Amino acid sequence: MKKKRSFSFCVLSVMIAALLLLGGCGKKEEDSTSYTIYYKNSSGTSLYEVSYSPAAETFDEMMTELMAQMSTVPEDAVYTSVLPETVSYQGYERGIDALRIDFSGEYYEMDNITEVLLRAAVVKTICQIPGVTKIILTVDSEQLVDGNGELVAAMDSESFIDTKNGGINSYQTTSLVLYFPNEDGTKLLKEVRNVDYSSNMVLVRVILEQLMAGSDYSNRKAVMNSSAEILDITTKNGICTINFSEEFNQQPTENTPSAGAALYAIVNSICETADDVDGVKITIEGSSNVKFWDEIDLSEVFLLNESLIEVDSLESETEEAAVQADEAEGEPESTDSDAVVAGADGAIAGVDAYAAEEDGTAAGADGAIAGVTGADASAEAQTE
């Protein structure tokens, strides 16, 4: 009996040890942080992702380690570094609004695709570091400029679209005019967002995906259900037809706007941004014989609706200030007081002219007197 109890105790001890070991392993996996390092695929047309667990503990160590990993590629790898051998990483500077990463002057020698993939890879990789939300690239300590000489603004991981799937033939930067329902969900507020996207993406899809991502401001509502999918997009004769999955006809679970505001957030965003689109046709699972959120008949073509657009108070004040500045520039530099002074100066000039005229008259009279005196003297001389 005693021997059996001892055996049971041993078995129990082994089980507890095993559970503790498993528990310890599970905790170790939770503690380990996996990052994604971005490289180029073998053809150099898109990004390639590799999972990596850094050993760094400080921010400086993390920057050094991640940038080194982006530059280092195993010999048998099916991917390549986004950093050309001629371009050097020269360090970074932590700013208030963004992290600045500096490269050597050879940066500007890269072709368009190589440059965009490098930019996307660096931003996507480094933005994973806690505390990094925006990144500005600099070249020899000067902010990066694009082919038109314009400054490249601060970027985050959402600034790059389709850099991984489908490859890149060319890359474009555009300003999207997006509309989101306001706080009470009845009107639309305008929001301009700059994005880089692959030329093999349809611009309307880019607009829709940005609308799905939501507004940058907390006082604006969602446009559509997050589960909605874009099944197809076609544009013909100025009419863009978008086919959504059935989830599109379900209201967002939070921040639900009115049906009209949600629908025209999509229509207005597309019509204002896409030059080749005049109207929008929406179908759900291929059918337009349906009411959006049980309210709006989708059988018609929807056009830009400006009556729903609300001018944000901050935007209004900015525009008013700009108008006042333009009006001030167009006005003459002189003011009423300047005119009074100018009039007084004119009057003084007139008096001076009149005085000069009187002086001239007096001079003429003196000349006449002198002439008479001269004549008398001549007459006296002849008499003598």
Side-chain angles (χ1 to χ4, degrees), residues 26-37 50-57 62 65-66 125 128-130:
K27 184 166 182 20
K28 186 176 181 181
E29 287 178 1
E30 289 175 3
D31 289 343
S32 63
T33 303
S34 179
Y35 280 64
T36 298
I37 308 295
V50 175
S51 182
Y52 176 76
S53 296
E57 296 182 356
M62 186 70 77
E65 186 171 348
L66 293 185
T125 299
Q128 296 172 85
I129 300 176

Side-chain angles (χ1 to χ4, degrees), residues 8 45 65 79 90 182-183 323 345 354:
S8 300
T45 57
E65 186 171 348
Y79 52 89
Q90 300 187 148
N182 64 359
E183 199 161 12
V323 169
D345 290 341
Y354 180 75

Side-chain angles (χ1 to χ4, degrees), residues 38 51-52 124 155 183 199 288 340 342 353:
Y38 290 86
S51 182
Y52 176 76
K124 283 176 170 286
M155 299 161 284
E183 199 161 12
S199 63
S288 60
V340 171

Side-chain angles (χ1 to χ4, degrees), residues 63 67-68 70-71 81-92 100-110 114 118 122 137-142 144:
M63 282 295 299
M67 291 302 297
M70 294 179 67
S71 305
S81 172
V82 292
L83 276 163
E85 293 181 358
T86 56
V87 179
S88 301
Y89 163 61
Q90 300 187 148
Y92 72 92
R100 292 175 173 264
I101 300 177
D102 192 50
F103 292 98
S104 62
E106 290 79 12
Y107 185 100
Y108 287 118
E109 297 176 3
M110 291 185 290
T114 302
L118 168 59
V122 169
L137 296 190
T138 60
V139 178
D140 286 338
S141 300
E142 296 292 333
L144 177 67

Side-chain angles (χ1 to χ4, degrees), residues 55 79 290 324:
Y79 52 89
V290 63
Q324 291 177 350

Side-chain angles (χ1 to χ4, degrees), residues 3 81 105 111 145 168 180 183 212 225 229 237 259 263 284 294:
K3 186 175 180 181
S81 172
D111 60 75
V145 297
I168 294 178
F180 292 92
E183 199 161 12
M212 287 178 172
N225 190 297
E229 296 181 13
N237 298 327
L263 183 70
I284 298 176
D294 296 325

Side-chain angles (χ1 to χ4, degrees), residues 192-208:
V192 178
R193 186 177 299 177
N194 295 323
V195 298
D196 296 302
Y197 71 101
S198 170
S199 63
N200 54 7
M201 282 192 73
V202 177
L203 179 59
V204 172
R205 180 176 287 275
V206 177
I207 297 168
L208 291 172

